[in-house]
Amino acid sequence: MDSSKYVRYTPEQVEALERVYAECPKPTSLKRHQLIRECSILSNIDPKQIKVWFQNRRCREKQRKEASHLQTVNRKLTAMNKLLMEENDRLQKHVSHLVYDNGFMRQQLHTQVNSTTTDTCCESVVVSGQQQQQNPMPQHHPQRDANSPAGLLAIAEETLTEFLGKATGTAVDWVQMIGMKPGPESIGIVAVSRNCNGVAARACGLVSLEPMKVAEILKDRPSWYRDCRCLDILNVIPTGNGGTIELIYLQTYAPTTLAPARDFWTLRYTTSLEDGSLVICERSLTSNTGGPVGPPATSSVRAKMLPSGFLIRPCEGGGSIIHIVDHIDLDACSVPEVLRPLYESSKILAQKMTMAAFRYIRQIAQETSGEIQYAGGRQPAVLRAFSQRLCRGFNNAVSGFIDDGWTIMGSDGVDDVTIAVNSSPSKFLDAQYNTLSILPTFGGVLCARASMLLQDVCPALLVRFLREHRSEWADYGVDAYSSASLKASPYAVPCARPGVFPSSQVILPLAQTVEHEEFLEVVRLEGHAFSPEDIALSRDMYLLQLCSGVEENATGACAQLVFAHIDESFGDDAPLLPSGFSVIPLEPKSDSPSAARTLDLASTLEARTGGTRPAGEVEGCNYNHRSVLTIAFQFAFENHYRENVAAMARQYVRSIVGSVQRVAMAIAPSRLCSQLTPKSFPGSPEAVTLARWICRSYKNHTGGELLQVESQAAGDAVLKQLWHHTDSIMCCSVKMNDSAVFSFANQAGLDMLETTLIALQDIMLDKILDEAGRKVLLSEFPKIMQQGFAYLPAGLCVSSMGRPVSYEQAVAWKVLNDDSSNHCLAFMFTNWSFI
């Protein structure tokens, strides 16, 4: 048969080919010949024609998928266009209102100017007009009967009307968030409030789930709102229109250790509109609104939820269009002034609540459609449960609720680190996951926590650094103790040794969310034993780790790194004891004396930061605001080790705080200015003083100028030029033995050594010089000590990453302090480059 001729297949032949295609869409030549032999109805067809049929079938399948995808995108674009048109209508109405208000105020001003009276009512008219539009006064209602369904329905209908005015109208002055561009694959249109009571955020977008499913997810707030501690529905009342009214007690976690948690007493109303849309709206019940009195606020502060909720509209062709409004008053006046921006930020509300709801729904939608494939064969629900347990465990540790069993231990005289103990872990570890308490000597869980203020540190950059450079802050012995606590024979309580971390880490990704703003991973810490008594350190250890907010363009810029030790088996019911870091930005207060001040909220920890970003860091994260960092580390302990573990935990968290401060100094943008003195380097005087000593000693010994500025010039100018000097300049202790370590290096020096200011202290002089360089230095050392300096010939050295570096010449000189005593030894490597 001529293979170029068209072949008409019978229905039986097509059915046989389709069966083969379902099993193998691209059969080999051998498979096609075997098919012809085994299937008699295909025996009269040439193998080449069979090959062409499979090619055409694959092509049709590809075209069908592309057509289906284009139809889906077209439906999304149509729905998004509808959303944008509605948003445009809303903005036009808002403009009309503003034009009317502007004309009204002009008329009032003109009337007052022409009037001979000196009464100041003009000002009151203008101001009150603005306030009426931006901050409508709450309506006062007579006390309604708490047991009256009619009274509750009246409150619910008022809540519905006010919510719809915010979701689709102009009841709130909305401003679109920067960087949130609407599109078929984006989260949608996100806006925050301006000049309104409390803080508010709004979002609208598309999801490929039906309205009833969306409503079910959104009503389960603890599943998607990570800061939700509990949601108790105390009463459910059906309404005559087919809806329901629920009375809800909601409690949230505290974001830091410096202020109490918040709770809400609300009425939630679920109903349907005439156009088939579903509405779930909610508001706080207060003395103004009337209604039942809620449970007393014992360990938290009662906050207020203004009319908020969800409008879920069915979308043509399937899916839903969702409008979300969150409007709350967190009683910012009850927290320390420095923390109030955290409770007055609509952007943080948008990120932690409004956008979190949207992202969770989109995640569920993509998991349902099979678009997301996870590594390790884990089910999506299991991975989400791990993420939620990590967050809840960390938040529990930070908040330390008394009704969970937490009690505060006495301090050691310094209140920088708080130690809390919980002897009933079953109350905060999920019962089905709690295997720690079965150990015969198990005494409970201890948490060491602290909060501090950071200046000019980008949260995303800091958390990314903590994740990628664990050796800069973690102690391997403490990790070994935490890992052994999962087993029946805990490792002896270590003495925290900052910087002792002989292992390397390997990060194994597990899952990430749709927009990659959060990812779950397993970290393997490779262990090495250096002595027989450290045999426990030779085992590899594993961490389950959750990281979020590390993208530099992350809206809201909240970032978090939470982890928990796990064993090798890592079952779905593995016990977790989370620890970690949370960094939340504080919006600056303009013209405030405290805005330029850097406070350490732990009272004894210095938080004045300066310095420059290490080479290779992204310049885009030019962050010039403050952030609040919260640290919480949890440890299981045996009964007879409680005091030892408490001392270890306190010392460990203090060492971590010091490491974070050094990291913050290294990654913060340059602040070498007269307003802020750079933080001194560990083991050396203030940086400006050290820079002056280096330059003065160089001139006195060699007779030449190291910098273009005079050594008597302002210290900041000297330090700035020394830091940006093109040649590599570094200092080490005045010893020619294995203990001579580096204490300072300028930017070029850090680049050459491929390290940071923090890790520099762990680098020894003899480790970077090759054999020839060490011999030359030893021979010239007496000359350096007697004459004050020496020129060293061209040679090679090695960076901390093992890369060879060549240099044309090196100069070594003694650095003398103000008493003309030897302070350190300085080196300058000229014209260096990597080989």
Coordinates of all heavy atoms in Angstrom, one line a residue, residues 273-335:
L273 N -27.6 36.7 47.5 CA -28.2 37.9 46.9 C -29.0 37.5 45.7 O -29.0 36.3 45.3 CB -27.1 38.9 46.4 CG -26.1 39.4 47.4 CD1 -25.1 40.3 46.8 CD2 -26.8 40.0 48.6
E274 N -29.8 38.4 45.2 CA -30.7 38.1 44.1 C -30.0 37.6 42.8 O -30.6 36.9 42.1 CB -31.6 39.3 43.8 CG -32.5 39.7 44.9 CD -33.3 41.0 44.6 OE1 -33.1 41.5 43.5 OE2 -34.2 41.4 45.4
D275 N -28.8 38.1 42.6 CA -28.1 37.7 41.4 C -27.4 36.3 41.5 O -26.6 35.9 40.7 CB -27.1 38.7 41.0 CG -26.0 39.0 42.0 OD1 -26.1 38.3 43.1 OD2 -25.1 39.8 41.8
G276 N -27.6 35.6 42.7 CA -27.0 34.3 42.9 C -25.7 34.4 43.6 O -25.1 33.3 43.9
S277 N -25.2 35.6 44.0 CA -23.9 35.7 44.7 C -24.1 35.3 46.1 O -25.1 35.4 46.7 CB -23.4 37.1 44.6 OG -23.2 37.6 43.3
L278 N -23.0 34.7 46.7 CA -22.9 34.4 48.1 C -22.2 35.5 48.8 O -21.2 36.1 48.3 CB -22.2 33.1 48.3 CG -22.9 31.8 48.0 CD1 -22.0 30.6 48.2 CD2 -24.1 31.6 48.9
V279 N -22.7 35.8 50.0 CA -22.1 36.9 50.9 C -21.9 36.3 52.2 O -22.7 35.7 52.8 CB -23.0 38.1 51.0 CG1 -22.3 39.1 51.9 CG2 -23.2 38.7 49.6
I280 N -20.6 36.5 52.7 CA -20.3 36.2 54.1 C -19.7 37.4 54.7 O -18.6 37.9 54.4 CB -19.2 35.0 54.2 CG1 -19.7 33.8 53.4 CG2 -19.0 34.7 55.7 CD1 -18.6 32.8 53.2
C281 N -20.5 38.1 55.6 CA -20.1 39.4 56.1 C -20.0 39.2 57.7 O -20.7 38.4 58.3 CB -21.0 40.5 55.7 SG -22.7 40.3 56.1
E282 N -19.2 40.1 58.3 CA -18.9 39.9 59.7 C -18.6 41.3 60.3 O -18.0 42.1 59.7 CB -17.7 38.9 59.9 CG -17.5 38.5 61.3 CD -16.5 37.3 61.3 OE1 -16.0 37.0 60.2 OE2 -16.2 36.8 62.4
R283 N -19.0 41.4 61.6 CA -18.6 42.6 62.3 C -18.6 42.3 63.8 O -19.2 41.4 64.3 CB -19.6 43.8 62.0 CG -20.9 43.7 62.8 CD -21.8 44.9 62.6 NE -21.1 46.2 62.7 CZ -21.6 47.3 62.2 NH1 -22.7 47.3 61.5 NH2 -21.0 48.4 62.4
S284 N -17.9 43.2 64.6 CA -17.9 43.0 66.0 C -19.2 43.5 66.6 O -19.8 44.4 66.2 CB -16.7 43.8 66.6 OG -15.5 43.2 66.3
L285 N -19.6 42.8 67.7 CA -20.7 43.2 68.5 C -20.2 44.0 69.7 O -19.4 43.5 70.5 CB -21.5 42.0 69.0 CG -22.2 41.2 67.9 CD1 -22.9 39.9 68.5 CD2 -23.2 42.0 67.1
T286 N -20.7 45.3 69.7 CA -20.3 46.2 70.8 C -21.5 46.8 71.4 O -22.6 46.5 71.0 CB -19.3 47.3 70.2 OG1 -20.1 48.1 69.3 CG2 -18.1 46.7 69.5
S287 N -21.3 47.7 72.4 CA -22.4 48.4 73.0 C -23.1 49.3 72.0 O -24.3 49.6 72.1 CB -21.9 49.2 74.2 OG -20.9 50.1 73.8
N288 N -22.4 49.7 71.0 CA -23.0 50.6 69.9 C -23.9 49.8 69.0 O -24.9 50.3 68.6 CB -21.9 51.3 69.1 CG -21.1 52.3 69.9 OD1 -21.7 53.0 70.8 ND2 -19.9 52.6 69.6
T289 N -23.4 48.6 68.6 CA -24.2 47.8 67.7 C -25.4 47.1 68.4 O -26.4 46.8 67.8 CB -23.4 46.8 67.0 OG1 -22.8 45.9 67.9 CG2 -22.2 47.4 66.2
G290 N -25.2 46.8 69.7 CA -26.1 46.0 70.4 C -25.8 44.5 70.2 O -24.9 44.1 69.5
G291 N -26.6 43.7 70.8 CA -26.4 42.2 70.6 C -25.8 41.6 71.9 O -25.5 42.3 72.8
P292 N -25.6 40.3 71.9 CA -25.1 39.6 73.1 C -23.8 40.1 73.4 O -23.0 40.5 72.6 CB -25.1 38.1 72.6 CG -26.0 38.1 71.4 CD -25.9 39.4 70.8
V293 N -23.4 39.9 74.7 CA -22.1 40.3 75.2 C -21.3 39.0 75.1 O -21.7 37.9 75.5 CB -22.2 40.7 76.7 CG1 -20.8 41.0 77.2 CG2 -23.1 42.0 76.8
G294 N -20.0 39.2 74.6 CA -19.2 38.1 74.3 C -18.4 37.6 75.5 O -18.5 38.3 76.6
P295 N -17.6 36.6 75.4 CA -16.7 36.1 76.5 C -15.7 37.2 76.9 O -15.3 38.0 76.1 CB -16.0 34.9 75.9 CG -16.8 34.5 74.7 CD -17.4 35.8 74.2
P296 N -15.3 37.3 78.2 CA -14.4 38.3 78.6 C -13.0 38.1 78.0 O -12.6 36.9 77.7 CB -14.4 38.1 80.1 CG -14.8 36.7 80.3 CD -15.8 36.4 79.3
A297 N -12.3 39.2 77.7 CA -10.9 39.1 77.2 C -10.0 38.9 78.4 O -9.7 39.9 79.1 CB -10.6 40.3 76.4
T298 N -9.4 37.7 78.6 CA -8.6 37.5 79.7 C -7.1 37.7 79.4 O -6.5 38.6 79.9 CB -8.8 36.0 80.2 OG1 -8.6 35.1 79.1 CG2 -10.2 35.9 80.8
S299 N -6.5 36.9 78.5 CA -5.1 37.0 78.2 C -4.9 37.8 76.9 O -3.8 37.7 76.3 CB -4.5 35.6 78.1 OG -5.2 34.9 77.1
S300 N -5.9 38.5 76.4 CA -5.7 39.3 75.1 C -6.5 40.6 75.2 O -7.3 40.8 76.2 CB -6.2 38.4 74.0 OG -7.5 38.0 74.2
V301 N -6.3 41.4 74.2 CA -6.9 42.7 74.2 C -8.1 42.6 73.2 O -7.9 42.1 72.0 CB -5.9 43.8 73.7 CG1 -6.7 45.2 73.5 CG2 -4.9 44.0 74.8
R302 N -9.3 43.1 73.5 CA -10.4 43.0 72.6 C -10.3 44.0 71.5 O -10.3 45.3 71.7 CB -11.7 43.3 73.4 CG -13.0 43.2 72.6 CD -13.2 41.8 72.0 NE -13.0 40.7 72.9 CZ -13.9 40.1 73.7 NH1 -15.1 40.7 73.8 NH2 -13.6 39.1 74.4
A303 N -10.2 43.6 70.3 CA -10.1 44.4 69.1 C -11.5 44.5 68.5 O -12.4 43.8 68.9 CB -9.1 43.9 68.1
K304 N -11.6 45.3 67.4 CA -12.9 45.5 66.8 C -12.8 45.2 65.3 O -11.9 45.6 64.6 CB -13.3 47.0 67.0 CG -14.7 47.2 66.4 CD -15.0 48.7 66.4 CE -15.0 49.3 67.8 NZ -15.3 50.8 67.8
M305 N -13.7 44.4 64.8 CA -13.8 44.1 63.4 C -15.0 45.0 62.9 O -16.1 44.8 63.2 CB -14.1 42.7 63.1 CG -14.2 42.3 61.6 SD -14.6 40.6 61.3 CE -13.1 39.8 62.0
L306 N -14.7 45.9 62.0 CA -15.7 46.7 61.3 C -16.2 45.9 60.2 O -15.6 44.9 59.8 CB -15.1 48.0 60.8 CG -14.8 49.0 62.0 CD1 -13.5 48.7 62.6 CD2 -14.7 50.5 61.4
P307 N -17.4 46.3 59.6 CA -18.0 45.4 58.6 C -17.0 44.9 57.5 O -16.4 45.7 56.8 CB -19.1 46.3 58.0 CG -19.5 47.2 59.1 CD -18.3 47.4 59.9
S308 N -16.8 43.6 57.5 CA -15.9 43.0 56.6 C -16.5 41.8 56.0 O -17.7 41.4 56.3 CB -14.6 42.6 57.3 OG -14.1 43.7 58.0
G309 N -15.8 41.1 55.1 CA -16.4 39.8 54.6 C -16.0 39.5 53.2 O -15.0 40.0 52.6
F310 N -16.8 38.6 52.6 CA -16.5 38.0 51.3 C -17.7 38.0 50.4 O -18.8 37.6 50.8 CB -16.0 36.5 51.4 CG -15.0 36.3 52.5 CD1 -15.4 35.8 53.7 CD2 -13.7 36.7 52.4 CE1 -14.6 35.6 54.8 CE2 -12.8 36.5 53.4 CZ -13.2 35.9 54.6
L311 N -17.6 38.5 49.2 CA -18.6 38.5 48.2 C -18.1 37.5 47.1 O -17.1 37.8 46.4 CB -18.8 39.9 47.6 CG -19.7 40.0 46.4 CD1 -21.1 39.5 46.7 CD2 -19.8 41.4 45.8
I312 N -18.9 36.5 46.9 CA -18.5 35.4 46.0 C -19.5 35.3 44.8 O -20.7 34.9 45.1 CB -18.4 34.0 46.7 CG1 -17.5 34.2 48.0 CG2 -17.8 33.0 45.8 CD1 -17.6 33.0 48.9
R313 N -19.1 35.6 43.6 CA -20.0 35.7 42.5 C -19.7 34.6 41.5 O -18.5 34.4 41.2 CB -20.0 37.0 41.8 CG -20.3 38.2 42.7 CD -19.7 39.5 42.3 NE -20.0 39.9 41.0 CZ -19.5 40.9 40.3 NH1 -18.6 41.7 40.9 NH2 -19.9 41.2 39.1
P314 N -20.7 33.8 41.0 CA -20.4 32.8 40.0 C -19.9 33.4 38.7 O -20.3 34.5 38.3 CB -21.7 32.1 39.8 CG -22.8 33.1 40.3 CD -22.1 33.9 41.4
C315 N -18.9 32.7 38.1 CA -18.3 33.2 36.9 C -18.8 32.4 35.7 O -19.0 31.2 35.8 CB -16.8 33.1 37.0 SG -15.9 33.8 35.6
E316 N -19.1 33.1 34.6 CA -19.5 32.3 33.4 C -18.5 31.3 33.0 O -17.3 31.7 32.8 CB -19.8 33.3 32.3 CG -21.0 34.3 32.6 CD -21.2 35.2 31.4 OE1 -20.6 35.0 30.4 OE2 -22.0 36.2 31.6
G317 N -18.9 30.1 32.7 CA -18.0 29.1 32.3 C -17.3 28.3 33.5 O -16.5 27.5 33.3
G318 N -17.7 28.7 34.7 CA -17.2 28.0 35.9 C -16.3 28.9 36.7 O -15.7 29.9 36.1
G319 N -16.1 28.6 37.9 CA -15.2 29.4 38.8 C -16.0 30.5 39.5 O -17.2 30.5 39.4
S320 N -15.3 31.3 40.1 CA -15.9 32.4 41.0 C -15.1 33.7 40.9 O -13.8 33.6 40.7 CB -16.0 32.0 42.4 OG -16.6 30.7 42.6
I321 N -15.8 34.8 41.0 CA -15.1 36.1 41.2 C -15.3 36.4 42.7 O -16.4 36.4 43.2 CB -15.8 37.2 40.3 CG1 -15.6 36.8 38.9 CG2 -15.2 38.5 40.6 CD1 -16.4 37.8 37.9
I322 N -14.2 36.7 43.4 CA -14.3 36.9 44.8 C -13.9 38.4 45.1 O -12.9 38.9 44.6 CB -13.3 36.0 45.6 CG1 -13.5 34.5 45.1 CG2 -13.5 36.0 47.1 CD1 -12.5 33.6 45.7
H323 N -14.6 39.0 46.0 CA -14.3 40.3 46.6 C -14.1 40.0 48.1 O -14.9 39.5 48.8 CB -15.4 41.3 46.4 CG -15.7 41.6 45.0 ND1 -15.3 42.8 44.4 CD2 -16.3 40.9 44.0 CE1 -15.7 42.8 43.1 NE2 -16.3 41.6 42.9
I324 N -12.9 40.4 48.6 CA -12.6 40.3 50.0 C -12.3 41.6 50.6 O -11.6 42.4 50.1 CB -11.3 39.4 50.2 CG1 -11.6 38.0 49.6 CG2 -11.0 39.3 51.7 CD1 -10.4 37.1 49.8
V325 N -12.9 41.9 51.8 CA -12.7 43.1 52.5 C -12.4 42.8 54.0 O -13.1 42.1 54.6 CB -13.9 44.1 52.5 CG1 -13.7 45.3 53.4 CG2 -14.2 44.6 51.0
D326 N -11.3 43.3 54.5 CA -10.9 43.2 55.9 C -10.7 44.6 56.4 O -10.0 45.4 55.9 CB -9.6 42.4 56.0 CG -9.7 40.9 55.6 OD1 -10.6 40.3 56.2 OD2 -8.9 40.5 54.8
H327 N -11.5 44.8 57.5 CA -11.5 46.2 58.1 C -11.5 46.0 59.6 O -12.5 45.5 60.2 CB -12.7 47.0 57.6 CG -12.6 48.4 58.0 ND1 -13.5 49.4 57.6 CD2 -11.6 49.1 58.7 CE1 -13.2 50.6 58.0 NE2 -12.0 50.4 58.7
I328 N -10.4 46.3 60.3 CA -10.3 46.0 61.7 C -9.7 47.2 62.4 O -8.9 48.0 61.8 CB -9.5 44.7 62.0 CG1 -8.1 44.8 61.4 CG2 -10.2 43.5 61.6 CD1 -7.2 43.6 61.7
D329 N -9.9 47.3 63.7 CA -9.3 48.3 64.6 C -8.6 47.5 65.7 O -9.3 46.9 66.6 CB -10.4 49.3 65.2 CG -9.7 50.4 66.0 OD1 -8.5 50.3 66.3 OD2 -10.5 51.3 66.4
L330 N -7.3 47.5 65.7 CA -6.5 46.7 66.6 C -6.1 47.4 67.9 O -5.3 46.9 68.7 CB -5.2 46.2 65.9 CG -5.4 45.2 64.8 CD1 -4.1 45.0 64.0 CD2 -6.0 43.9 65.3
D331 N -6.8 48.6 68.2 CA -6.5 49.3 69.4 C -5.0 49.6 69.5 O -4.3 49.2 70.5 CB -7.0 48.5 70.6 CG -7.0 49.4 71.9 OD1 -6.9 50.6 71.8 OD2 -7.1 48.8 73.0
A332 N -4.5 50.3 68.5 CA -3.0 50.5 68.5 C -2.5 51.4 69.7 O -1.4 51.3 70.1 CB -2.6 51.3 67.2
C333 N -3.4 52.1 70.3 CA -3.0 53.0 71.4 C -2.6 52.2 72.7 O -1.9 52.7 73.6 CB -4.1 53.9 71.8 SG -4.5 55.1 70.5
S334 N -2.9 50.9 72.7 CA -2.6 50.1 73.9 C -1.2 49.4 73.8 O -0.9 48.7 74.7 CB -3.7 49.0 74.0 OG -3.7 48.1 72.9
V335 N -0.5 49.6 72.7 CA 0.8 49.0 72.6 C 1.9 50.1 72.7 O 1.6 51.3 72.5 CB 0.9 48.3 71.2 CG1 -0.1 47.2 71.1 CG2 0.9 49.2 70.0

